Amino acid sequence: MIYAAVLAGGSGLRMGGDLPKQFLNICGRPVIIRSIDAFIKSGKTDMIYVAVSASYTEYMRELINKYIQFKNIKVICGGGNRNETLYNVLESIKKEREVSDEDIILTHDAVRPFIDDRIINENIEAVKKYGAGNTVIPAVDTILQSSDGKFIDSIPLRSTMFHGQTPQSFSVKKITELYENMTPEEFEQYTDACSVFVAKGEKVCLVQGSRDNIKLTYPEDIEKAESIIKSKEQD
Amino acid sequence: MIYAAVLAGGSGLRMGGDLPKQFLNICGRPVIIRSIDAFIKSGKTDMIYVAVSASYTEYMRELINKYIQFKNIKVICGGGNRNETLYNVLESIKKEREVSDEDIILTHDAVRPFIDDRIINENIEAVKKYGAGNTVIPAVDTILQSSDGKFIDSIPLRSTMFHGQTPQSFSVKKITELYENMTPEEFEQYTDACSVFVAKGEKVCLVQGSRDNIKLTYPEDIEKAESIIKSKEQD
C-alpha cells in the first residue's frame, strides 16, 4: 500500500485573515484540495489521509464531497505538532489493516499544492531503496548559522545546504517503530519525522524538489500561486 | 566617509536572455539603477562605487548619466569573484583618499533593488558597534545539510538558521587589512567577505533584512519585483 498524508495541523496565522491558508480558494479551488488532487492525479497512492485540526474536520469533509471524486480518502484530527499529527495518521493506518514491509507513506504539507508526478514517483523510489526520502532544493542564497541571533557562528558551504520541501516519505513500518520508541521529550525536540530518522542514525535520501513546489506562507505567496496555476494551464 | 559598493560582477546566466539581469528594465528603470537609487535616497552614503564586468563599464556609465543626478559615483571593473570585486573597490578607495578608522563600506548585490532606509541605517550602526554586519532574514523552511548531496547529514535547529541578504557592511580599515593578509587560496575558498570575517574570528553582527529585499535570480522574480514596485507606489 502507498499512503499519502496531507497534513494541515497549522493555524496558518502568518497569512493573516480568518480562514487557515490551506482552505483559501486559489483560482476557484481550495489549496488543500489542490494538494490532494496532485496525489490522486499521480495514480500512485492507494489511500489518502487528510489531517486537520479538530474544529475543521467537518468542513474538510464537506470540501472533499464538493470537489473530489476519489473515494479512498479519510479525514482525521491533527495533533499539537507535526510529529503528533503524523503519529495520529499512523495509528489510524494500523487500526485499519496490518502494516507490511512494503507499505510507504508520503507525508505532505497541505499548503504545497504544486507537487508533480516526478516528485511523487521519486519519493516512492527513495523509500523503496533507502527507507526514507526528503524532497529538497539546493540553497540559492548563502545560509548563516547563529545560535544567539546576534552574531554569525558559521557560514556553511552553500553547496552542502538544502531547503526542505515535502513530501517527506517513509517506510510505514520503520517510522511507526521509531515513533513508538520515542519519549515525549523527543516528540517535542524533533520538529519533523526526517529529523527523527537522522537523529536515530537512519538514512534519509534527498529527492529533488522544484522551485514551483512552494509552501504558501505569506499573503504575497498567493499571487505567486496564481501565476504558477496560470502558467501550468497554458502548458 | 560612508561608502556603498554596488556589486554586479556576475553574468546573470540563471535569468536567461542576453542582457545580464542587473541591467533589465523593471517598470521603466534598470534593476542596478534602482539599487543605486536606494543608497542615494537614504542620504547616508558619501560615495557610491559600482563594480561591473569590464565589458559593461561604458554601458554602466551611460546608464548613470541617463538616470542618476548624484555626482559621487564611480564605475569600476569587477573581478573574477565577489572577493576580488570587493578588493578592487577597496583598492580604488585607497588610491583616492587615506582610510580612517571611521570609514564604513556597505557592499550590496546590484540585483537586490528593494533595500530600504532602515536596513541601510542598521547596517551602519552594526559596523559602528561591531566592525561588521550582515543583513539576514530567519529561515522559514527547514534547512538540511548534506555533504554528498545524496543523504541528509544533519538538520540544524531552524531557529538558528538565517538566509544571507545584503548589504554586508564593514569597517573599511578592518576589511582592507583582512584582504591584504589573505592568500590566493583563501580568496578562492571564501565566497564572500563575511565568511572571511567569521573565519578570522571577527564578529559579524546580524542586521534584520526584509522579505521584500529579494535577489533577482530567476525569470519569475521579475514578476515579483514588479508587484513589489507597484505596492510601494501605492504606499
Side-chain angles (χ1 to χ4, degrees):
Chain A
M1 292 281 285
I2 296 181
Y3 300 92
V6 174
L7 310 179
S11 62
L13 290 179
R14 281 185 288 201
M15 190 67 83
D18 291 331
L19 198 65
K21 58 197 170 181
Q22 55 270 23
F23 300 121
L24 291 180
N25 229 306
I26 303 193
C27 302
R29 213 165 165 85
V31 170
I32 194 165
I33 294 294
R34 291 181 175 274
S35 298
I36 297 168
D37 288 342
F39 287 101
I40 296 172
K41 183 178 153 288
S42 80
K44 292 291 170 70
T45 46
D46 305 298
M47 181 81 206
I48 299 174
Y49 284 84
V50 182
V52 293
S53 65
S55 48
Y56 283 101
T57 50
E58 262 319 293
Y59 181 67
M60 188 68 231
R61 285 193 188 100
E62 283 165 24
L63 283 184
I64 289 172
N65 285 339
K66 180 168 176 194
Y67 289 101
I68 306 252
Q69 306 294 321
F70 189 72
K71 289 295 163 215
N72 296 334
I73 187 162
K74 198 171 172 181
V75 177
I76 67 161
C77 280
N81 59 41
R82 199 176 179 83
N83 278 322
E84 279 177 26
T85 298
L86 185 49
Y87 188 80
N88 290 357
V89 173
L90 295 170
E91 285 293 295
S92 186
I93 287 176
K94 247 183 23 181
K95 259 183 229 158
E96 302 210 355
R97 61 186 70 76
E98 207 172 339
V99 171
S100 95
D101 284 343
E102 281 70 42
D103 289 351
I104 290 172
I105 185 162
L106 281 68
T107 72
H108 190 63
D109 294 329
V111 289
R112 282 193 201 271
F114 303 118
I115 31 163
D116 55 30
D117 290 356
R118 180 193 59 75
I119 296 176
I120 290 171
N121 291 338
E122 291 185 12
N123 267 274
I124 293 168
E125 289 311 309
V127 177
K128 281 184 181 166
K129 271 192 189 163
Y130 302 107
N134 194 349
T135 309
V136 302
I137 53 170
V140 175
D141 287 331
T142 302
I143 303 288
L144 316 163
Q145 192 153 22
S146 167
S147 49
D148 63 3
K150 285 190 169 173
F151 299 102
I152 300 176
D153 296 332
S154 68
I155 304 179
L157 198 62
R158 192 177 66 186
S159 60
T160 67
M161 305 304 283
F162 296 83
H163 296 274
Q165 297 187 336
T166 65
Q168 295 186 325
S169 305
F170 311 97
S171 145
V172 175
K173 202 161 195 176
K174 228 170 182 176
I175 191 172
T176 305
E177 281 171 10
L178 284 181
Y179 270 13
E180 286 177 347
N181 290 307
M182 265 165 73
T183 63
E185 291 73 33
E186 287 176 320
F187 256 90
E188 280 292 312
Q189 184 184 349
Y190 303 121
T191 48
D192 62 19
C194 280
S195 301
V196 176
F197 269 68
V198 172
K200 301 291 181 184
E202 296 282 344
K203 271 195 172 163
V204 181
C205 175
L206 301 186
V207 174
Q208 195 194 329
S210 81
R211 293 209 309 275
D212 277 353
N213 185 20
I214 56 169
K215 185 176 180 179
L216 305 183
T217 307
Y218 298 110
E220 62 260 34
D221 297 333
I222 300 297
E223 213 171 306
K224 175 127 197 239
E226 288 168 348
S227 145
I228 293 172
I229 291 167
K230 277 168 200 155
S231 81
K232 280 185 195 293
E233 278 168 358
Q234 283 163 9
D235 284 348
Chain B
M1 292 280 285
I2 297 182
Y3 300 92
V6 175
L7 310 178
S11 63
L13 289 179
R14 279 186 287 203
M15 189 68 83
D18 291 331
L19 198 66
K21 58 195 169 181
Q22 56 269 25
F23 301 122
L24 290 180
N25 230 306
I26 302 192
C27 302
R29 212 165 167 83
V31 170
I32 193 165
I33 294 293
R34 290 182 175 274
S35 298
I36 296 168
D37 287 344
F39 286 102
I40 297 173
K41 183 178 152 287
S42 79
K44 291 292 170 68
T45 46
D46 304 300
M47 181 80 205
I48 299 174
Y49 285 83
V50 181
V52 294
S53 66
S55 50
Y56 284 102
T57 49
E58 263 317 295
Y59 181 67
M60 188 68 231
R61 284 191 189 99
E62 284 165 25
L63 283 185
I64 289 172
N65 285 337
K66 181 170 174 192
Y67 289 102
I68 305 252
Q69 305 295 320
F70 188 72
K71 289 296 163 213
N72 298 334
I73 187 162
K74 199 172 170 180
V75 177
I76 66 162
C77 280
N81 59 40
R82 199 177 179 84
N83 278 322
E84 279 177 27
T85 298
L86 185 49
Y87 189 79
N88 291 356
V89 174
L90 296 170
E91 284 293 295
S92 186
I93 287 178
K94 245 182 25 178
K95 259 184 231 160
E96 301 210 356
R97 61 185 70 77
E98 207 173 338
V99 171
S100 94
D101 285 343
E102 281 70 41
D103 290 351
I104 290 172
I105 186 163
L106 281 68
T107 73
H108 189 63
D109 294 329
V111 289
R112 283 193 199 270
F114 303 119
I115 30 162
D116 55 31
D117 290 356
R118 179 193 61 74
I119 296 177
I120 291 172
N121 291 337
E122 291 185 10
N123 268 272
I124 294 169
E125 290 310 310
V127 178
K128 283 184 181 167
K129 270 193 191 163
Y130 302 108
N134 195 349
T135 310
V136 302
I137 53 171
V140 175
D141 287 331
T142 302
I143 303 289
L144 315 163
Q145 193 154 23
S146 167
S147 49
D148 63 2
K150 284 190 170 174
F151 299 101
I152 300 176
D153 296 331
S154 67
I155 304 178
L157 198 62
R158 191 177 66 185
S159 60
T160 67
M161 304 305 282
F162 297 84
H163 296 275
Q165 297 187 336
T166 66
Q168 294 186 325
S169 305
F170 311 97
S171 146
V172 174
K173 203 162 193 176
K174 229 172 182 174
I175 191 172
T176 305
E177 281 171 10
L178 285 180
Y179 270 14
E180 287 177 348
N181 290 306
M182 264 166 72
T183 63
E185 291 73 33
E186 287 176 319
F187 256 89
E188 280 293 310
Q189 184 184 349
Y190 303 121
T191 50
D192 63 19
C194 281
S195 302
V196 177
F197 268 68
V198 171
K200 301 291 182 184
E202 297 282 343
K203 271 196 172 163
V204 180
C205 175
L206 301 185
V207 174
Q208 194 195 329
S210 81
R211 292 210 310 274
D212 277 353
N213 185 21
I214 56 168
K215 186 176 181 178
L216 305 183
T217 307
Y218 298 109
E220 63 259 34
D221 297 332
I222 300 296
E223 212 171 306
K224 175 128 197 237
E226 289 167 346
S227 145
I228 293 172
I229 291 167
K230 278 169 200 153
S231 80
K232 281 185 195 294
E233 279 168 357
Q234 283 163 9
D235 285 348

